[in-house]
Amino acid sequence: MRMKIANFRLIGLAGIVFLTGYIHPDQFWQSSEVCHRLAFPSIGIESEDVGLSLPWEWNPAKPARSFAAPGLAACAPIFFLRGIQMAIHRILAIEMAITGVMCFAAVKIWMVVIVVNMESTLQTLCIFTGVNARVCVTLFYSCWAVIVLCGNPFSNAIEALLVLKGLHVVYTNIEWHKLALKLGALSSLSLFVRMTSPCFFLPMLVAAYSRSASAMLKKMGRTNESLGIMSWLTHFLKFGCVGVLSASIVAYCLVQIDTNLFGVFAGKPLENLAIGPWNGFKYNTDSANLAEHGIHPRFT
């Protein structure tokens, strides 16, 4: 069995590494090129020399994205290359050129690390839920979405990772404060990664509250019928307040980071806060904006 899992893991990871085709513009424009602009600030927002071009969402005048997704998907490997370049220049006085191929390879390796982390989380979930881990891992590494999408720095891949982490929190914790604290932080971070994340995290929050309530009853030696409405209300308020507080702290930190980084793009501090999810929502609710991208009317 272990051999079979190892074989599927090897095939899946090999697919991630060697399938280098171009899938969608967001594969680079919403991740690697954004991080490249941060790592190499001397290059302008558009440069013909290196082919760097950032899409409209990253215009400092109207920021419609958060740096959370590209930061998790591509910043670590690209800044690693930048650090090597600076170290070689300082120690050996040699100018090392960072090519597009080097950035692409570094990000690919980083995505392999993320996928392996996803697999590890999945195996832990299998243990806690009693599901056959061999079947899950086999399906995981034979899944097109994992090999193609999660193998590239899409925001979808980071969202999938955070959803798995959220499920891990739900199934490995029963204390209400841990559930509320961790899920609040993860749900807030995931919202800044992709606006679709509430569809995944709202059911998890309901499940987490249910698990924490069951643990509370077991600890008290009580049943649902014997517990008064005030006890339920108190528990709900405690769970909700801790979760909202945790989510608010993460959101505040991300807004401050985004505002400062968009200020780097603009070359000066922004006058207003850069709230990516809210700005993106406002943009997408205007049909006139969507028409510019060739999107059909909502009623069709």
Side-chain angles (χ1 to χ4, degrees):
M1 286 187 179
R2 290 183 179 178
M3 244 347 245
K4 291 182 180 179
I5 290 178
N7 289 340
F8 271 97
R9 183 184 294 117
L10 183 61
I11 293 171
L13 294 179
I16 291 172
V17 172
F18 294 109
L19 293 178
T20 57
Y22 184 78
I23 304 165
H24 190 277
D26 286 358
Q27 179 179 351
F28 303 112
W29 289 353
Q30 301 289 358
S31 57
S32 301
E33 299 220 11
V34 175
C35 297
H36 190 282
R37 174 69 179 88
L38 291 174
F40 302 91
S42 60
I43 299 175
I45 195 165
E46 292 190 3
S47 173
E48 294 181 358
D49 295 336
V50 294
L52 179 64
S53 179
L54 297 181
W56 60 268
E57 294 99 328
W58 301 96
N59 185 346
K62 295 181 179 180
R65 290 273 183 148
S66 170
F67 285 91
L72 293 170
C75 264
I78 290 179
F79 271 89
F80 177 74
L81 289 177
R82 175 60 168 163
I84 292 176
Q85 182 190 48
M86 294 175 66
I88 290 177
H89 176 71
R90 178 167 296 184
I91 298 171
L92 303 176
I94 298 174
E95 291 290 344
M96 172 186 170
I98 302 297
T99 66
V101 173
M102 293 169 65
C103 290
F104 179 83
V107 172
K108 270 288 186 180
I109 294 171
W110 178 249
M111 293 310 298
V112 167
V113 172
I114 288 179
V115 169
V116 170
N117 188 278
M118 292 171 67
E119 183 219 331
S120 174
T121 305
L122 179 63
Q123 292 213 44
T124 304
L125 282 171
C126 289
I127 293 171
F128 277 88
T129 57
V131 177
N132 190 317
R134 183 175 69 88
V135 173
C136 286
V137 173
T138 300
L139 290 173
F140 180 78
Y141 279 115
S142 59
C143 178
W144 177 89
V146 172
I147 297 174
V148 177
L149 294 181
C150 293
N152 288 288
F154 289 108
S155 59
N156 310 68
I158 304 304
E159 182 183 43
L161 173 66
L162 295 176
V163 167
L164 273 173
K165 293 299 182 183
L167 289 170
H168 182 272
V169 169
V170 172
Y171 282 101
T172 59
N173 295 273
I174 57 173
E175 297 89 347
W176 70 268
H177 59 282
K178 290 183 179 180
L179 284 165
L181 192 68
K182 294 177 181 180
L183 272 185
L186 279 173
S187 60
S188 182
L189 174 59
S190 190
L191 177 62
F192 277 76
V193 169
R194 280 185 67 83
M195 289 189 293
T196 55
S197 65
C199 298
F200 301 104
F201 274 90
L202 285 176
M204 279 191 265
L205 288 167
V206 173
Y209 173 75
S210 176
R211 280 176 59 81
S212 67
S214 298
M216 177 187 69
L217 290 172
K218 185 176 181 181
K219 185 176 181 180
M220 296 171 62
R222 306 281 291 275
T223 62
N224 290 347
E225 294 77 13
S226 64
L227 202 62
I229 185 66
M230 289 306 298
S231 297
W232 282 110
L233 182 61
T234 301
H235 181 68
F236 177 79
L237 290 175
K238 289 193 301 183
F239 187 89
C241 287
V242 171
V244 169
L245 177 63
S246 175
S248 300
I249 292 173
V250 172
Y252 174 81
C253 293
L254 290 173
V255 168
Q256 293 299 320
I257 292 171
D258 288 343
T259 302
N260 282 288
L261 292 181
F262 273 109
V264 172
F265 279 12
K268 61 180 180 179
L270 296 187
E271 296 180 0
N272 301 313
L273 292 175
I275 308 176
W278 175 242
N279 292 340
F281 175 78
K282 287 194 300 180
Y283 185 92
N284 284 284
T285 52
D286 189 340
S287 298
N289 291 333
L290 300 183
E292 294 182 5
H293 304 278
I295 306 299
H296 58 73
R298 289 189 182 86
F299 60 83
T300 63

